[in-house]
Every structure is written in C-alpha cells, then in structure tokens.
Amino acid sequence: MAHCYYHALSSVRKWGGMVEDYLPLHQWFDQSKAIFADPRHRALRHHAEGIFMLETLFGPTIVNADSRVVPVRLIGEQHVREDLGTIPSFADWGRLITPQDWMLPGHRLDEPMPLGTVETGASGAFSGGHSSASRGVSVVEI
C-alpha cells in the first residue's frame, strides 16, 4: 500500500471504527518517508521491533469509534504485512547494509583530543568524532 489512509481503511474493514482511529498508528510507520522518500524508509520501522515500538508508544490497545478494543500490535502487523508481505526482523534489514569505513570505530572517548581542534569528514563538514586520516578524516585547528 502506498498511503497511510489506505492502511487505515484496511484497519476499518478488519476491526470497524473510523479511519481516524487508526491513521496516527499507520502514519507513525511511514514518518520515515521524511528521511528517505523511497522504499528504503521502511528499514527504520517496518520490522518486528518497530511493531513492538508502536505498542510502546500507543499502548497495548486502542478503543475505536465502535467501542471495540483493538490490539495495537495487530494493527502494526497489518501495516507491515500489507507493505512487505511478511514481518522481517531488523536483522533481516541490517544484513542488507554494506558496512562502510565511516561506520567503523573512531577514537576512544577516554583519549583527550588536543585543545582547539575539531574533526572534519572528507567533505570538510564536522563529523562528530570520527578520527582517522586513513578514512578521509582530518583534524583541523580552530
């Protein structure tokens, strides 16, 4: 399914109530489209842990407009299955990520950096603590 509204309509067909009962839950799954506007956004929440996260955020159940109690986990499972056909683990997504040099450990936090220096990445932007000249990172005097 392409849009949260259609997921919510599917929830209404399954459990009753109104679209507004389910829309916030389905929107939560797809908020990651703000970061990645293609199917890769699903790696952030469309997995078993994401479904449990949904339950942590919205509670174990909702009460829809028909006064029916609906388990939040079932709504999450519905969303992920409609998008992917199955419920993967995060490990399933993670296996598809090719490790890059910048993902490797940087400097130890207990080793002080010289005063007046900051680290930049290969592009010259501040990197937030990666330090290795062999990985395209340099220390710049400020």
Side-chain angles (χ1 to χ4, degrees):
M1 287 197 176
H3 195 278
C4 299
Y5 177 78
Y6 298 109
H7 284 290
L9 279 177
S10 179
S11 295
V12 169
R13 285 191 297 275
K14 194 168 205 137
W15 295 292
M18 300 180 348
V19 166
E20 293 77 17
D21 298 328
Y22 306 99
L23 200 54
L25 288 80
H26 293 297
Q27 288 172 326
W28 179 84
F29 272 107
D30 288 344
Q31 282 175 344
S32 52
K33 286 180 182 177
I35 299 167
F36 249 127
D38 65 36
R40 291 176 290 179
H41 84 90
R42 294 176 175 153
L44 294 175
R45 296 182 178 174
H46 286 62
H47 46 70
E49 185 186 13
I51 293 167
F52 277 83
M53 233 185 298
L54 181 76
E55 188 178 51
T56 299
L57 294 169
F58 289 90
T61 61
I62 64 164
V63 178
N64 68 22
D66 294 338
S67 299
R68 184 168 179 192
V69 177
V70 183
V72 166
R73 193 178 313 160
L74 295 181
I75 299 166
E77 289 173 357
Q78 170 219 334
H79 184 108
V80 174
R81 279 194 181 111
E82 286 176 349
D83 279 350
L84 303 176
T86 188
I87 298 173
S89 68
F90 178 76
D92 294 326
W93 287 102
R95 278 190 283 279
L96 300 174
I97 298 171
T98 304
Q100 304 294 314
D101 285 344
W102 63 265
M103 297 174 184
L104 301 172
H107 64 74
R108 290 176 47 155
L109 294 178
D110 59 351
E111 292 177 5
M113 290 193 49
L115 285 175
T117 61
V118 292
E119 296 173 328
T120 64
S123 66
F126 292 116
S127 68
H130 303 289
S131 68
S132 172
S134 67
R135 291 195 298 252
V137 177
S138 59
V139 175
V140 178
E141 294 289 328
I142 56 171

